[in-house]
Amino acid sequence: MREIVTAALQMGPIQKAETRQDVVERMIALLDRAKDAGATLAVFPELALTTFFPRWYMEDQAEVDSWFETEMPSAETRPLFDRAKAYGIGMYLGYAEKTPDGHHFNTSVLVSPQGDIVGKYRKVHLPGHSEFDTDRAFQHLEKRYFEPGDLGFPVWRSQDGILGMCICNDRRWPETYRVMGLQGVEMVMLGFNTPAVNSQMSAEGPEDRLFHHRLSVQAGAYQNATWVIAVAKAGVEDGHPLIGGSLIVDPNGKIVAESTTEDDEMLVHACDLDLCNFGKETIFDFARHRRIEHYGLITQRTGAELPPV
Ligand code: CDV
């Protein structure tokens, strides 16, 4: 048995006016709970340090940059890193990254229980749009503020397992999980901020959003025989509701823990990585069963092209 006692640390809403210091205090309080529960891995949401700023249209680059981190840990996040290290808890942490040469990414890092950043991931699938869209009930400007990630979907050996990361919209794409599955991933961690209503179709409300979320995460887990830890930033941010539904999903695709609030909340589960072995050695033994000679279109074609009429 190779167990990682994993804490999914859902965060309630963060209002636009709240400071990183306020938020880090809340995150440390969640870490305290994770420590009490015996966790050695804590998973925080996407863009965990601020409100979900891509809902706001901005033209002033200085204002945009105020939502980004230029170093990690920073003065504001150092206390979180110090507490996690003191507790021997590794972390997944999502934040907006501005690189020294001026690139902007929606990023997560994997921190070891010893406090070192051992992995970095930059969100590949950026949803939304880049200009103000009057047809939407609210804006989702990730394509304006971020570049698509340039690091692919690596995995890392940590805590005696093979761990991978993705971010929010990535969870809806089977390619995300499969690329990590082909590297033997045993736990995929992801944070998300998912508006409770579709900005382009008001009939698609929270129940539909939760359904699509669970469907995607459970399928990714089952089809790659991996644990998936999906952690929300939830609740109402300045009038804009986000779904909760943080999940811990086992390698059979079954939900073993799900959040019940839209506030700061901890889910904890002892995730046995050896539970991945059966699926990886039988129905999803990729080496025996995949037929890559028929999968060429997946990398040759981006959008669908219809057959001739
Ligand atoms: N932060 C996100 O990537 N949100 C998207 C919304 C826009 C659909 C998501 O896939 O949840």
Side-chain angles (χ1 to χ4, degrees):
M1 193 156 66
R2 287 176 298 133
E3 256 182 19
I4 302 182
V5 179
T6 305
L9 299 180
Q10 175 174 295
M11 298 179 67
I14 300 173
Q15 309 309 327
K16 211 176 171 186
E18 286 181 69
T19 66
R20 286 167 176 73
Q21 233 175 347
D22 297 332
V23 176
V24 166
E25 270 176 35
R26 279 168 56 188
M27 296 170 89
I28 289 175
L30 281 164
L31 262 190
D32 291 344
R33 290 167 62 184
K35 170 68 179 164
D36 290 345
T40 63
L41 179 62
V43 182
F44 287 107
E46 172 190 33
L47 300 175
L49 302 171
T50 66
T51 195
F52 188 71
F53 67 86
R55 72 169 65 89
W56 303 111
Y57 179 75
M58 294 173 272
E59 290 185 331
D60 174 7
Q61 192 57 43
E63 186 187 354
V64 174
D65 283 352
S66 71
W67 298 102
F68 283 75
E69 314 302 315
T70 53
E71 53 179 358
M72 190 53 66
S74 56
E76 289 105 335
T77 50
R78 171 63 68 190
L80 178 71
F81 277 70
D82 288 349
R83 184 68 64 98
K85 182 177 174 179
Y87 286 163
I89 297 181
M91 290 190 292
Y92 165 109
L93 173 67
Y95 64 99
E97 175 194 18
K98 183 180 173 197
T99 67
D101 54 348
H103 293 283
H104 295 76
F105 296 106
N106 187 340
T107 295
S108 60
V109 284
L110 173 63
V111 183
S112 72
Q114 293 74 37
D116 303 309
I117 293 181
V118 292
K120 178 179 277 190
Y121 170 73
R122 291 172 173 153
K123 186 174 183 177
V124 165
H125 300 101
L126 296 175
H129 50 112
S130 50
E131 297 302 329
F132 194 91
D133 184 349
T134 50
D135 290 337
R136 292 180 185 245
F138 52 89
Q139 305 297 297
H140 194 105
L141 291 151
E142 285 197 60
K143 286 194 195 297
R144 182 178 184 85
Y145 302 131
F146 302 116
E147 296 164 56
D150 58 353
L151 301 174
F153 295 99
V155 300
W156 299 269
R157 287 192 184 273
S158 189
Q159 304 206 34
D160 202 21
I162 301 176
L163 310 188
M165 297 190 275
C166 65
I167 300 178
C168 196
N169 192 262
D170 288 322
R171 74 195 188 286
R172 304 185 192 275
W173 300 90
E175 295 87 346
T176 297
Y177 304 93
R178 184 49 50 90
V179 172
M180 288 190 265
L182 285 167
Q183 301 167 82
V185 77
E186 296 172 317
M187 180 183 284
V188 175
M189 297 162 284
L190 69 98
F192 62 96
N193 284 258
T194 297
V197 178
N198 187 326
S199 65
Q200 296 168 292
M201 201 216 280
S202 58
E204 189 183 311
E207 278 316 311
D208 299 313
R209 299 295 253 186
L210 282 163
F211 168 71
H212 291 146
H213 156 65
R214 292 188 195 105
L215 184 69
S216 305
V217 170
Q218 291 181 255
Y222 169 63
Q223 292 169 348
N224 294 278
T226 179
W227 289 90
V228 182
I229 317 298
V231 181
K233 178 140 66 55
V236 182
E237 292 190 335
D238 295 297
H240 295 271
L242 299 165
I243 60 167
S246 298
L247 301 174
I248 298 180
V249 178
D250 77 12
N252 282 310
K254 290 188 179 164
I255 295 172
V256 297
E258 178 161 4
S259 59
T260 55
T261 74
E262 292 179 353
D263 294 318
D264 291 3
E265 179 179 345
M266 178 181 69
L267 307 176
V268 72
H269 189 82
C271 300
D272 178 4
L273 302 181
D274 281 335
L275 282 185
C276 302
N277 299 345
F278 182 73
K280 288 185 190 299
E281 289 165 6
T282 58
I283 194 161
F284 295 117
D285 180 346
F286 294 159
R288 278 197 296 145
H289 305 309
R290 292 182 78 241
R291 304 296 343 174
I292 59 172
E293 65 272 30
H294 298 298
Y295 304 158
L297 274 189
I298 302 244
T299 54
Q300 286 158 17
R301 193 178 279 182
T302 308
E305 287 174 31
L306 307 189
V309 213

